[in-house]
Every structure is written in C-alpha cells, then in structure tokens.
Amino acid sequence: MRIAVGGFQHETNTFAPSRATFERFEKGEGWPPLSRGASLFETVAGINIPVAGFLSAMKHSRHTLVPTAWAAASPSAHVTEDAFERIAAMIIGDLKSAMPVDAVYLDLHGAMVTEHLDDGEGELLARVRDVVGGRAPVVASLDLHANVTQRMQKNADVLVAYRTYPHVDMADTGERVARSLQRLLDGASRPQLASVRLPFLIPLQAQSTMMEPNSSIYDELARLEAHGAVLSYTPGFPAADFPECGPVVFAYADDVEASRKATDALWHLVNEAEGDYDCPVYEPDEAVQKAMAIAANASRPVVIADTQDNPGAGGDSNTTGMLRALVANRAQHAALGLMVDRDAAEAAHAAGEGTEIEIALGGQSRIPGDEPFHARFVVDRLSEGRFTCTGPFYRGARMSIGPCACLRIGGVRVVVASDKPQLADQEMYRFIGIEPKTEKILVNKSSVHFRADFAPIAEEIIVAKAPGPMLADLNEFPWKNLSPGIRISPNGKPFQPS
C-alpha cells in the first residue's frame, strides 16, 4: 500500500499577542523546522512526536510511505492566512503528485485557528478528502488539547488523541494511529463514531494527568477501551474563542452501539468530576515568598510555574512579573527560564562573559501590568543555544534557540534566549551553566509540561499567575464566540453572547 504522510501543528490562543507567521513554522520554535519530501523522515526521527511514532511503527511493514510536508510552531495567536495557505498547499500539492495513494496519515494538533478559518484542521482534512475521495482511509493523531470539531470528525476515518499531559506519549499516539490504520488496510470495516461534548471549559493548569481528576479518568479510559473501542478524551484548549472550543469524548468501534457505550461511560465520569478540576494559583510575591519559606529547609528545588506566560499556550515567554517578584523578595539561588529577548541576548554577547550590562529586559508583551525590567546584570555565561533535550516531553528534540545568555542580578539568574520554546526540560538550564537540581528556586515559563522532567527533582511545585496571555481564570477572557450555555469554568457561569 502507498501511504501519504504529513502534518501541520499549531495550538491557537486567540487572545495571545503575536501571530504564527510562515517564518515561525520554518524555524519550528522548539519543534523540528518545516520539512518537505524525503528530508521529512530524517528530520523527525527519534523525537517524541506523533509522526516519528507512526513512522517507527510502519518501518518494518511492506507499505510505501510517501512524504508530503510537516510543520509546527509554538502556540500563539492566529496562524496567518499566508502561513496556513502556503503550508496546506505544500501538503495538498504533494498529495496530488503522489496519487494514487491507499491511505493518508496526518500529524495534527486539533486546536488551530487561522486569520480566515475557525477550524484549520477541519479545513485541511476536507481538502485532503477532496483529493483522495471516499475510499482511501484518512487518519490523524491529535493533541490532548484538541478542540475537536464536527468537520474534523466528518473528514477523517479515525482520530486518536494523546493521553498524557505532560505529553510524554506523543510518539506512542502515532504508533496507536498506525495500528488503527493497519486494521483498515487489512480489510476491517470503517469504524463507527460516537462523540459527545462536555458542557464546561477546563483551565489548562488543572488538566494535568499527573493530578486528579485526570489521572483516574485516563486510567478508566484505558480500561473501557479494552472492550473494543478506540477511545479518546480531549479536555480541549480553553483559549480559543470559537463555538466548538471545549472538551470532547469520542470513540470508534465496529458497531455504533459499542462506540456509544464507551463514550457515554467516560462522558459521565468526566461530567461528575467537574468540580474536581481545581488547582491553587498564587500571585507572584505570594508564590516567591512561599517558595523561599519551603526552600529554607529543603534539599531539592521548589519549582514555580509562570503559567500565564506559558509559550506552550500562546505566551511569548517575555513577561517580567516573576522576575520582579524574585528580585524584590531577594530570592537566593534562584533561576528563571526562558526569558525570550533577542536584543538582550545580543547585548550580552557584545559585552562578553564577566561584564556588567544595563538593559531593559523583557516586558514586550503589551499586556496590562507587564513592562520591561530595567536593571544592571552580570553576564555569567554565553551560548549559541544549541543542545539536545533529554527529558520525557522534549525527548530527542534538537534545540536551536539562537544567541543565549545567563544574566545574574543578586541571587537570581535568568536564562535569556532569542527564540521561544517552552521551559520543559532540565537541559534548558544546563546548556547555559545552571544545574537545576542544586538551585533553591526554579521559575519555569510553563503550565504543566515541565512537570514531566521537574516533578522528580522538585521539593514542591507552585503555580503562579504573573501577567501573561494564558489566563489561569478563564472567566477573565473577553469571550464573544463560545457556544451559548457552555460553562466558562468548572461549575462556573454559563456563557451568554452579548
């Protein structure tokens, strides 16, 4: 069989300050850069992403895998129309050139909003379906944070979502999609879909599968799936202002009754757990003071999540609220990463290691309450920003984040980068001379993904809400286009359009 392979990943925060241009997909921003044709398979090999898992699972098959294009960029505001149309044209053009094909696999996110489309993945899948027709199976992997739409489900034969947050099972999900596709290629009948939407949004920081209620919910999902359905639960990405934003439970099985039975059982479990989706969140000074008190008698670092400036949810990783709190409270043996400020990194490189520079660091978000941090810093260490990640989330990712610097002010060190991956791997400190295990306090610009590599070394984890575009309290977003009646937060007020 001939199987076309491609992918297009973006998680869109429609309230974020900057958009995803074509150039950001060319860079990858912590993910592999835009790849096309034969180089695609080499570029993604060995990395914890779905397409790599799919390729690994198919490696020893007798199928011919035909590459199209694969692209990803860090979460941000809308994907520009230019970027979407150029990358979609690559995938569709290469698919047309590869015809006839017997199947298509796409590595998608599921929460892409573009300047001209609410549902980027639904549009892409529809274009793929137009090319291959109704007979060739079209399958896709999705992020756990997918906002799954009816159009996506209509134009795919099977959609399979991650089951972990932090997403340590991305490659595993690609392998699971490969198994589902193989069943279809072996002659199994098209699976029957059942899908149901949950009536409330879930804050990102409360969705971790390392915490309740999702830990138990996903355990039950695996148990239910053992009865014959391919079952997914996507808590959704709760910062996309369009009608189909929100959690969905869906299943595929040989008969629709089996799909409905599995879907209904899991839907009831999630619905009953609505009030359990809670995670305490602290103001910056409160978080730092709490961390300092714990660290005074701890042998391991206290980790603070700067959740509202999470680059994995649309932040630009440049707000200064947590840095101000560390300096104002005279924190010692503390490190913050990553602060993305190319001008500051280049100024440090121009000055050289061991010098002092007076700069205005970060604060370019244009978010109320955020502004540049004017201070004199010591340039502790410089780097070109190239390293390979070793933690469970970014495993195997070959980072290239431009000129970087470790700047020190008092007892606080700041890792300054030129490009913006999410701080989710210990190597993101080590590459610039900071050993995370020996620090007293670590401030990570991340919501949850950092937990995969940092929870094992942390004395305690604290979630803080300094100014940033990924609001911890979903009620504070200026919603306009949600589905009427959906609760904006667990047990919260229903949305009513004005």
Side-chain angles (χ1 to χ4, degrees):
M1 302 284 187
R2 286 171 55 79
I3 304 171
V5 176
F8 195 179
Q9 288 233 4
H10 190 264
E11 183 177 71
T12 306
N13 178 340
T14 59
F15 305 102
S18 60
R19 302 200 169 200
T21 62
F22 181 78
E23 291 71 26
R24 294 173 77 163
F25 288 96
E26 284 187 306
K27 288 183 178 180
E29 300 185 313
W31 302 109
L34 171 65
S35 303
R36 191 177 186 187
S39 67
L40 189 162
F41 295 163
E42 181 180 347
T43 300
V44 303
I47 301 174
N48 179 34
I49 54 178
V51 66
F54 181 88
L55 294 172
S56 177
M58 288 292 186
K59 181 168 57 177
H60 300 298
S61 74
R62 298 170 66 181
H63 306 307
T64 298
L65 302 180
V66 183
T68 61
W70 187 96
S74 283
S76 67
H78 305 71
V79 176
T80 64
E81 181 175 358
D82 170 71
F84 178 85
E85 293 298 340
R86 288 171 70 178
I87 295 168
M90 292 178 188
I91 294 171
I92 298 301
D94 291 349
L95 178 59
K96 288 178 177 178
S97 298
M99 292 295 288
V101 299
D102 299 287
V104 178
Y105 162 68
L106 292 178
D107 177 6
L108 305 177
H109 185 284
M112 182 193 298
V113 182
T114 77
E115 290 177 330
H116 60 313
L117 301 164
D118 279 348
D119 180 10
E121 288 88 355
E123 175 66 20
L124 181 62
L125 285 164
R127 295 183 190 183
V128 168
R129 181 60 76 192
D130 285 344
V131 174
V132 302
R135 296 185 62 183
V138 176
V139 299
S141 51
L142 297 178
D143 195 285
L144 177 142
H145 296 116
N147 290 318
V148 180
T149 67
Q150 294 182 40
R151 196 175 188 212
M152 291 163 58
Q153 293 175 331
K154 175 184 176 182
N155 288 288
D157 293 281
V158 177
L159 300 169
V160 180
Y162 312 162
R163 296 177 179 177
T164 61
Y165 182 34
H167 303 328
V168 297
D169 69 330
M170 291 185 285
D172 292 342
T173 302
E175 292 180 8
R176 290 193 288 118
V177 177
R179 291 195 293 270
S180 290
L181 177 58
Q182 187 61 60
R183 289 188 73 246
L184 294 174
L185 297 177
D186 288 341
S189 60
R190 296 290 173 93
Q192 299 297 305
L193 168 69
S195 179
V196 62
R197 188 169 296 275
L198 276 297
F200 56 92
L201 300 182
I202 303 172
L204 207 60
Q205 68 274 6
Q207 292 186 16
S208 174
T209 58
M210 297 176 72
M211 309 185 315
E212 295 295 352
N214 270 353
S215 177
S216 294
I217 287 170
Y218 280 93
D219 286 345
E220 181 64 10
L221 183 153
R223 190 190 71 78
L224 289 168
E225 192 177 59
H227 295 287
V230 177
L231 184 58
S232 290
Y233 163 44
T234 52
F237 184 63
D241 192 13
F242 81 112
E244 291 183 272
C245 177
V248 178
V249 174
F250 57 99
Y252 300 89
D254 290 338
D255 64 86
V256 72
E257 184 58 33
S259 297
R260 285 175 180 163
K261 185 176 180 180
T263 300
D264 288 348
L266 194 63
W267 183 87
H268 283 293
L269 185 63
V270 177
N271 211 40
E272 290 169 1
E274 178 175 1
D276 297 328
Y277 282 106
D278 187 29
C279 178
V281 180
Y282 298 88
E283 296 294 334
D285 285 329
E286 187 180 14
V288 169
Q289 291 163 13
K290 181 178 175 67
M292 291 172 64
I294 296 168
N297 299 300
S299 59
R300 301 188 299 173
V302 179
V303 181
I304 302 175
D306 188 359
T307 189
Q308 294 194 155
D309 193 31
N310 172 17
D316 282 338
S317 202
N318 62 14
T319 65
T320 58
M322 289 309 303
L323 174 59
R324 291 178 190 282
L326 289 170
V327 174
N329 288 282
R330 299 184 180 181
Q332 299 296 311
H333 301 289
L336 181 151
L338 298 167
M339 181 72 76
V340 177
D341 188 329
R342 181 176 287 272
D343 289 344
E346 290 178 349
H349 276 255
E353 291 183 359
T355 63
E356 291 190 359
I357 56 174
E358 189 166 337
I359 56 171
L361 180 61
Q364 304 99 355
S365 69
R366 306 184 302 278
I367 292 170
D370 181 46
E371 58 185 23
F373 184 79
H374 294 265
R376 180 173 289 275
F377 295 86
V378 175
V379 181
D380 264 0
R381 184 77 68 90
L382 299 171
S383 168
E384 292 304 315
R386 296 187 183 93
F387 55 95
T388 299
C389 292
T390 58
F393 172 65
Y394 273 132
R395 185 187 70 240
R398 297 172 283 277
M399 293 285 175
S400 181
I401 57 176
C404 296
C406 176
L407 302 183
R408 175 167 48 85
I409 177 170
V412 179
R413 288 184 287 178
V414 185
V415 184
V416 181
S418 294
D419 295 319
K420 66 159 195 174
Q422 181 178 175
L423 195 296
D425 196 288
Q426 293 182 42
E427 295 301 322
M428 292 173 149
Y429 285 114
R430 291 194 181 108
F431 87 96
I432 199 77
I434 298 172
E435 174 47 59
K437 291 181 180 178
T438 61
E439 293 298 296
K440 287 289 189 180
I441 298 172
L442 298 170
V443 176
N444 295 350
K445 285 185 176 287
S446 176
S447 291
V448 171
H449 283 316
F450 74 93
R451 290 178 183 264
D453 206 22
F454 287 84
I457 69 167
E459 184 73 22
E460 190 168 329
I461 292 173
I462 298 168
V463 180
K465 56 172 187 176
M470 184 60 226
L471 300 180
D473 183 353
L474 302 179
N475 294 286
E476 295 178 3
F477 280 125
W479 300 103
K480 295 180 180 178
N481 302 306
L482 290 177
S483 177
I486 190 170
R487 291 188 285 281
I488 298 174
S489 59
N491 291 331
K493 61 182 181 181
F495 172 72
Q496 295 299 334
S498 56

